[in-house]
């Protein structure tokens, strides 16, 4: 046998062996089905945990926005000048189920003032208004709505017109039931809680 014939025979033998190995390395239908089922199961776990994180994130964002709105109302009160001749009592925040906004309490700051929100006292501007997204709602501990007024100069705090109430807790609740709280106390401290 010549050397060239040996190379040809050897080449044909290698091709047959490689083709035989390739034919035996395929997946069976059962292996493909089981692998697909496992992947679908793992993806559903990842998908559901992702939507849970999105819900938590939405609650945390709305909680922080509500805290910032209350802090802004407090800052406006502290930074404003309210003299005896000015007919305002301080800035406040009104919290309802789907929105919250800053208002300026009109009227003399003495005993004649109800220290509550009255229609028309809203402070204009989008920076003074918070609208929750459709999946989140605000639930004050005192009922369907609540008002907090920061009264200068300290500021002192009146919750729902009552200076004796020591604390207001506002729950930020997602449609999935995730909750976080914003707490405003009598001394004007605004804090976050789970």
């Amino acid at each position: 046998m010549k050397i060239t014939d040996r190379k040809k025979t050897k080449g044909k033998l290698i091709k047959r062996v490689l083709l035989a190995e390739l034919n035996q390395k395929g997946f069976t239908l059962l292996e493909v089905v089981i692998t697909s089922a496992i992947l679908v199961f793992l993806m559903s776990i990842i998908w559901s945990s992702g939507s849970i994180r999105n819900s938590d994130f939405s609650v945390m964002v709305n909680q922080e926005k509500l805290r910032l709105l209350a802090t802004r109302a407090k800052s406006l009160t502290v930074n404003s000048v309210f003299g005896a001749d000015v007919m305002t009592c301080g800035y406040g925040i009104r919290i309802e189920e789907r929105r919250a906004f800053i208002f300026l309490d009109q009227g003399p700051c003495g005993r004649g003032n109800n220290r509550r929100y009255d229609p028309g006292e809203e402070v204009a501007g989008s920076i003074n208004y918070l609208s929750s997204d459709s999946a989140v709602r605000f639930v004050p501990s005192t009922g369907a709505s609540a008002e907090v007024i920061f009264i200068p100069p300290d500021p002192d705090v009146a919750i729902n017109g009552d200076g004796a109430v020591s604390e207001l807790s506002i729950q930020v609740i997602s449609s999935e039931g995730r909750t976080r709280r914003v707490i405003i106390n009598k001394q004007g401290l605004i804090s976050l809680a789970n």
Side-chain angles (χ1 to χ4, degrees), residues 32-66:
V32 170
V33 168
I34 290 174
T35 304
S36 298
I38 291 170
L39 287 174
V40 166
F41 176 71
L42 291 174
M43 289 304 290
S44 68
I45 290 173
I46 291 170
W47 183 276
S48 66
S49 68
S51 66
I52 289 169
R53 280 181 283 181
N54 286 341
S55 173
D56 283 341
F57 182 73
S58 180
V59 169
M60 287 188 325
V61 166
N62 280 282
Q63 176 194 33
E64 183 61 24
K65 285 180 178 179
L66 187 59

Side-chain angles (χ1 to χ4, degrees), residues 41-193:
F41 176 71
L42 291 174
M43 289 304 290
S44 68
I45 290 173
I46 291 170
W47 183 276
S48 66
S49 68
S51 66
I52 289 169
R53 280 181 283 181
N54 286 341
S55 173
D56 283 341
F57 182 73
S58 180
V59 169
M60 287 188 325
V61 166
N62 280 282
Q63 176 194 33
E64 183 61 24
K65 285 180 178 179
L66 187 59
R67 183 191 69 80
L68 288 172
L69 194 69
T71 302
R72 177 165 170 69
K74 179 180 172 182
S75 295
L76 286 169
T77 297
V78 171
N79 293 328
S80 298
V81 178
F82 295 99
D85 58 333
V86 178
M87 296 297 286
T88 58
C89 192
Y91 287 90
I93 179 173
R94 178 172 170 86
I95 301 107
E96 299 172 353
E97 184 176 12
R98 296 286 179 191
R99 68 182 186 142
F101 56 88
I102 294 175
F103 65 94
L104 179 59
D105 192 25
Q106 301 291 327
C109 204
R111 293 182 180 259
N113 190 313
N114 64 3
R115 297 184 176 179
R116 304 277 317 237
Y117 164 75
D118 296 313
E121 292 181 333
E122 298 92 345
V123 176
S126 61
I127 194 169
N128 300 315
Y129 185 82
L130 168 62
S131 178
S132 73
D133 58 30
S134 60
V136 175
R137 59 191 173 95
F138 305 125
V139 180
S141 58
T142 58
S145 65
E147 291 125 15
V148 177
I149 294 184
F150 300 97
I151 304 164
D154 299 330
D156 191 16
V157 177
I159 298 171
N160 288 337
D162 188 354
V165 176
S166 63
E167 179 178 278
L168 174 67
S169 176
I170 305 122
Q171 285 189 323
V172 181
I173 304 174
S174 73
S175 56
E176 289 87 15
R178 309 250 186 288
T179 62
R180 291 190 173 265
R181 293 180 299 144
V182 176
I183 301 167
I184 305 171
N185 71 10
K186 174 90 174 99
Q187 290 74 34
L189 178 67
I190 303 164
S191 58
L192 303 177

